[in-house]
C-alpha cells in the first residue's frame, strides 16, 4: 500500500462518509480475563460514541509507512486450511456475525499479545464501494469493486489520575471518582491490504504506535508473519553497528559516522531530484556494495570497514533499508556545525596569513622609504667590519671634509648595491 491508498480509506472515517456496519470487541483485564464483550451496529451508536470510535479507527491508520505502518505478506502455509490468513478470511466473510469465530479471535490475541495492564480489543467491519478514477484522478460514478475489510484496534485502558473536582449539586470541592479510560491504539491491523485500490488478501497492513516496540510476538504468533524492522529500528540498528565496531559511546561521537551521514543525505537529495523527474522512481536502498563504497570514500580503516560491512549484511539480510530511514538529522546538524567550524578555522588561517603578508609589505615599504629619504638627503651609509671601521678617518682637503678609507688589493666596494672598482 502507498500513502494515497491509506489516505483514501481514512478520508471516509467521517460522520457522512463512514460505512462501518459492525463493531465488536472485548475488554481484557491485567490477568488476561475477558471482562465484557460488545457487539454494535455501528451506525446506531449515539453520536458521541460514534465519533470516539471513529477517532480510534483513524489512529489505527496513522503515522508513516515503513515506520508506524508495516505491510506483511502471509507465508504460503498460512493461506491453507487452518492458517492465520484463512482464519481472517473466514472472520471477514462472516461480517462479524459468527460469535465462535469472534471468541477465537479474541483468545488468539490475548494469548499472543504481551502487554501489562488492561486493554480493549476492537474490530470494525466495512464494505467500501471503490469508484473508478480517470488518469487525472477524478472519480467516476461507476463502481470498480466492493472492498470488504476488517480493521482491528488494540487500545490500552488506564485509570485516570487522582484529582480534585467541583461537585455542583453539593457545592463543594472533593476528590474525583477515578475512571478507566480507553486510550489511543497501541497496535492494530487492516485486513486485507488495499493495494492498487483493490483487495489484496495475501497482505496485511500492521500498525504500531511506537515504531521501536512493534510487538513481534503478535506479528509472529497471531498473524503468522515474519517481523521486519521499522524505519526507527533500522536507524537504531545502523547506529549500533558503528558504535560496536568503532567503540564510541554513541555513533555521533565518531567523525566517520558523521561523514557517512552526509553522504547518505546527498544520496537522498539525488533521489528527490529523480522523483521530481519520474514519479514512478523507486526509493534508494542501501546495499552492502553501497555501504562499502561510502566507507572507502570517507576513509574508514580496512579492518573496521570489513567488520561494518559484514554486520550490515547480517542485520539487514531480510530487508534492505531505504536510505531515508538511516538518516539521523541530529548527526547531520552536528556534521554541519563541525564543517562550519573547519571552514571558520581555514578562514582565520587565510586572514592571519594575509595580515602577516601585509605587515611584511608595510615593514618593507618603511625600510624602502627610509633608504629613499636618506638618498634624497645625500646621506652616506657605510657598512663594513669593526676592524675596517677603525681605519676610517676624516681629512680637510681644499676646505672640504673627506672620509679617508684605506682599500687593500683584496677588498671590494659596493655603492648603492653596485660593485665598484676604486
Amino acid at each position: 500500500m502507498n500513502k494515497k491508498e491509506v489516505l483514501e480509506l481514512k478520508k471516509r472515517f467521517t460522520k457522512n462518509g463512514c460505512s462501518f456496519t459492525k463493531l465488536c470487541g472485548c475488554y481484557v483485564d491485567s490477568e488476561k480475563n475477558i471482562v465484557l464483550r460488545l457487539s454494535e451496529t455501528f451506525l446506531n451508536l449515539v453520536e458521541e460514541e460514534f465519533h470516539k470510535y471513529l477517532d480510534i479507527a483513524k489512529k489505527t491508520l496513522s503515522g508513516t509507512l515503513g515506520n508506524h505502518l508495516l505491510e506483511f505478506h502471509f507465508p504460503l502455509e498460512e493461506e491453507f486450511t487452518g492458517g492465520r490468513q484463512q482464519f481472517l478470511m473466514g472472520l471477514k466473510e462472516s461480517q462479524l456475525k459468527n460469535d465462535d469465530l469472534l471468541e477465537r479471535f479474541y483468545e488468539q490475541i490475548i494469548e499472543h499479545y504481551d502487554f501489562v495492564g488492561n486493554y480493549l480489543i476492537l474490530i470494525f467491519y466495512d464494505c467500501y464501494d471503490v469508484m473508478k478514477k480517470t488518469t487525472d484522478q477524478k472519480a467516476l460514478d461507476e463502481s470498480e469493486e466492493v472492498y470488504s475489510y476488517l480493521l482491528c484496534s488494540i487500545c490500552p485502558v488506564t485509570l485516570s489520575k487522582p484529582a480534585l473536582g467541583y461537585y455542583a449539586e453539593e457545592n463543594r470541592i472533593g476528590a474525583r471518582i477515578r475512571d478507566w479510560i480507553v486510550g489511543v491504539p497501541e497496535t492494530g491491523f487492516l485486513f486485507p491490504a488495499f493495494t492498487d485500490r483493490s483487495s489484496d488478501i495475501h497482505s496485511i497492513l500492521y500498525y504500531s504506535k511506537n515504531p521501536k516496540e512493534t510487538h513481534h510476538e503478535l506479528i509472529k504468533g497471531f498473524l503468522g508473519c515474519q517481523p521486519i524492522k521499522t524505519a526507527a529500528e533500522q536507524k537504531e540498528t545502523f547506529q549500533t553497528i558503528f558504535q560496536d565496531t568503532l567503540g564510541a559511546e554513541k555513533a555521533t561521537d565518531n567523525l566517520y559516522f558523521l561523514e557517512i551521514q552526509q553522504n547518505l543525505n546527498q544520496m537522498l537529495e539525488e533521489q528527490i531530484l529523480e522523483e521530481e523527474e519520474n514519479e514512478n522512481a523507486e526509493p534508494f536502498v542501501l546495499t552492502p556494495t553501497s555501504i562499502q563504497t561510502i566507507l572507502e570514500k570517507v576513509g574508514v580503516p580496512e579492518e573496521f570497514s570489513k567488520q561494518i560491512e559484514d554486520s550490515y549484511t547480517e542485520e539487514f539480510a531480510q530487508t534492505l533499508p531505504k536510505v531515508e530511514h538511516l538518516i539521523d538529522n541530529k548527526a547531520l546538524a552536528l556534521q554541519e556545525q563541525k564543517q562550519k567550524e573547519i571552514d571558520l578555522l581555514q578562514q582565520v588561517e587565510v586572514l592571519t596569513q594575509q595580515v602577516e603578508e601585509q605587515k611584511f609589505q608595510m615593514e618593507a615599504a618603511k625600510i624602502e622609504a627610509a633608504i629613499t629619504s636618506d638618498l634624497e638627503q645625500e646621506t652616506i651609509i657605510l657598512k663594513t667590519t669593526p676592524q675596517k671601521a677603525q681605519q676610517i678617518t676624516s681629512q680637510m682637503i681644499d676646505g672640504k671634509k673627506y672620509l679617508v678609507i684605506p682599500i687593500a688589493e683584496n677588498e671590494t666596494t659596493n655603492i648603492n648595491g653596485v660593485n665598484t672598482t676604486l
Side-chain angles (χ1 to χ4, degrees):
M1 289 183 65
N2 57 39
K3 187 176 180 180
K4 286 183 180 179
E5 290 157 353
V6 174
L7 290 175
E8 184 173 346
L9 294 180
K10 282 183 68 176
K11 284 179 180 178
R12 302 178 58 255
F13 297 168
T14 61
K15 175 67 176 176
N16 297 324
C18 174
S19 60
F20 288 134
T21 56
K22 192 74 174 174
L23 168 65
C24 295
C26 71
Y27 176 42
V28 184
D29 66 16
S30 58
E31 301 297 324
K32 293 184 175 291
N33 300 311
I34 296 179
V35 178
L36 68 84
R37 296 166 179 80
L38 61 94
S39 179
E40 303 283 351
T41 300
F42 195 80
L43 297 178
N44 290 344
L45 291 170
V46 298
E47 187 156 343
E48 188 172 337
E49 291 180 6
F50 181 94
H51 287 292
K52 293 297 181 185
Y53 283 121
L54 270 186
D55 288 341
I56 289 174
K58 287 178 184 177
K59 283 290 184 182
T60 313
L61 292 180
S62 62
T64 54
L65 288 165
N67 204 28
H68 302 90
L69 295 170
L70 302 172
E71 189 167 349
F72 295 106
H73 304 289
F74 289 103
L76 187 59
E77 61 269 20
E78 297 298 343
E79 299 193 8
F80 296 146
T81 302
R84 275 82 155 190
Q85 186 262 10
Q86 277 292 295
F87 170 70
L88 290 174
M89 285 291 292
L91 186 63
K92 179 179 75 74
E93 290 169 2
S94 75
Q95 301 181 20
L96 304 183
K97 295 175 182 178
N98 186 316
D99 292 339
D100 291 337
L101 287 178
L102 279 168
E103 197 66 23
R104 183 181 165 193
F105 174 76
Y106 301 146
E107 289 172 356
Q108 287 290 310
I109 290 181
I110 293 169
E111 178 184 349
H112 295 102
Y113 186 45
D114 185 11
F115 184 80
V116 178
N118 300 3
Y119 57 91
L120 178 66
I121 302 172
L122 295 174
I123 184 164
F124 304 81
Y125 175 76
D126 188 19
C127 285
Y128 171 33
D129 199 7
V130 183
M131 293 297 168
K132 287 185 178 180
K133 286 189 177 181
T134 60
T135 53
D136 59 357
Q137 298 302 304
K138 291 184 179 179
L140 297 174
D141 191 16
E142 182 181 350
S143 176
E144 198 161 35
E145 74 166 276
V146 175
Y147 166 60
S148 60
Y149 64 93
L150 302 173
L151 182 66
C152 174
S153 307
I154 305 177
C155 309
V157 180
T158 55
L159 196 61
S160 61
K161 295 180 180 180
L164 294 174
Y166 173 64
Y167 291 86
E169 293 181 359
E170 302 173 23
N171 194 31
R172 70 178 182 89
I173 300 294
R176 287 184 56 192
I177 298 174
R178 299 179 68 186
D179 298 319
W180 289 96
I181 299 174
V182 177
V184 296
E186 183 79 16
T187 187
F189 64 83
L190 171 76
F191 174 80
F194 186 56
T195 307
D196 295 329
R197 303 189 69 241
S198 181
S199 179
D200 179 5
I201 63 173
H202 307 292
S203 304
I204 190 167
L205 188 67
Y206 182 83
Y207 167 77
S208 178
K209 178 186 174 184
N210 185 349
K212 292 185 179 180
E213 295 180 11
T214 54
H215 291 282
H216 288 188
E217 77 286 351
L218 196 63
I219 296 169
K220 293 179 68 175
F222 175 67
L223 298 177
C225 298
Q226 186 62 36
I228 59 177
K229 289 182 174 67
T230 63
E233 290 171 329
Q234 288 175 345
K235 181 165 70 174
E236 192 173 70
T237 300
F238 188 66
Q239 292 179 348
T240 302
I241 290 172
F242 281 86
Q243 290 172 214
D244 293 345
T245 305
L246 301 173
E249 289 187 11
K250 53 185 179 179
T252 51
D253 289 341
N254 192 277
L255 293 178
Y256 290 130
F257 180 79
L258 298 182
E259 290 186 33
I260 287 168
Q261 284 290 313
Q262 192 174 35
N263 278 267
L264 292 177
N265 193 51
Q266 289 173 355
M267 290 177 67
L268 182 60
E269 290 174 353
E270 291 173 9
Q271 175 187 324
I272 293 171
L273 290 174
E274 186 172 330
E275 288 175 348
E276 289 176 354
E277 297 176 0
N278 179 15
E279 61 180 13
N280 296 321
E282 292 292 328
F284 288 5
V285 295
L286 191 66
T287 64
T289 303
S290 300
I291 189 67
Q292 182 186 38
T293 302
I294 295 175
L295 292 172
E296 291 176 358
K297 184 177 179 181
V298 302
V300 176
E302 187 175 349
E303 65 270 22
F304 294 138
S305 63
K306 184 64 170 67
Q307 187 177 342
I308 291 171
E309 185 184 348
D310 291 344
S311 298
Y312 182 87
T313 303
E314 181 182 351
E315 288 289 347
F316 298 106
Q318 184 182 352
T319 305
L320 291 173
K322 296 177 183 178
V323 169
E324 61 187 285
H325 292 171
L326 303 180
I327 291 178
D328 186 330
N329 290 326
K330 290 183 179 179
L332 284 177
L334 186 59
Q335 173 65 5
E336 185 179 352
Q337 180 61 34
K338 287 183 178 296
Q339 189 59 50
K340 286 181 179 178
E341 292 173 0
I342 292 171
D343 293 342
L344 186 60
L345 286 174
Q346 290 176 344
Q347 290 175 12
V348 170
E349 288 179 4
V350 171
L351 289 173
T352 301
Q353 186 176 356
Q354 289 176 349
V355 169
E356 292 298 326
E357 289 177 356
Q358 288 178 356
K359 284 183 178 179
F360 177 79
Q361 291 172 359
M362 289 173 65
E363 290 296 328
K366 285 181 181 179
I367 293 172
E368 185 177 353
I371 293 173
T372 303
S373 176
D374 288 339
L375 291 175
E376 289 175 351
Q377 297 175 13
E378 297 185 350
T379 301
I380 299 172
I381 298 173
L382 295 175
K383 185 177 180 182
T384 186
T385 62
Q387 294 81 0
K388 193 67 178 178
Q390 294 177 359
Q391 299 175 14
I392 300 173
T393 60
S394 62
Q395 289 184 15
M396 294 295 294
I397 302 174
D398 297 331
K400 292 184 179 179
K401 196 172 186 180
Y402 291 86
L403 284 176
V404 178
I405 305 172
I407 300 174
E409 292 183 0
N410 62 341
E411 291 178 334
T412 60
T413 58
N414 183 296
I415 299 174
N416 292 338
V418 180
N419 290 331
T420 306
T421 302
L422 298 176

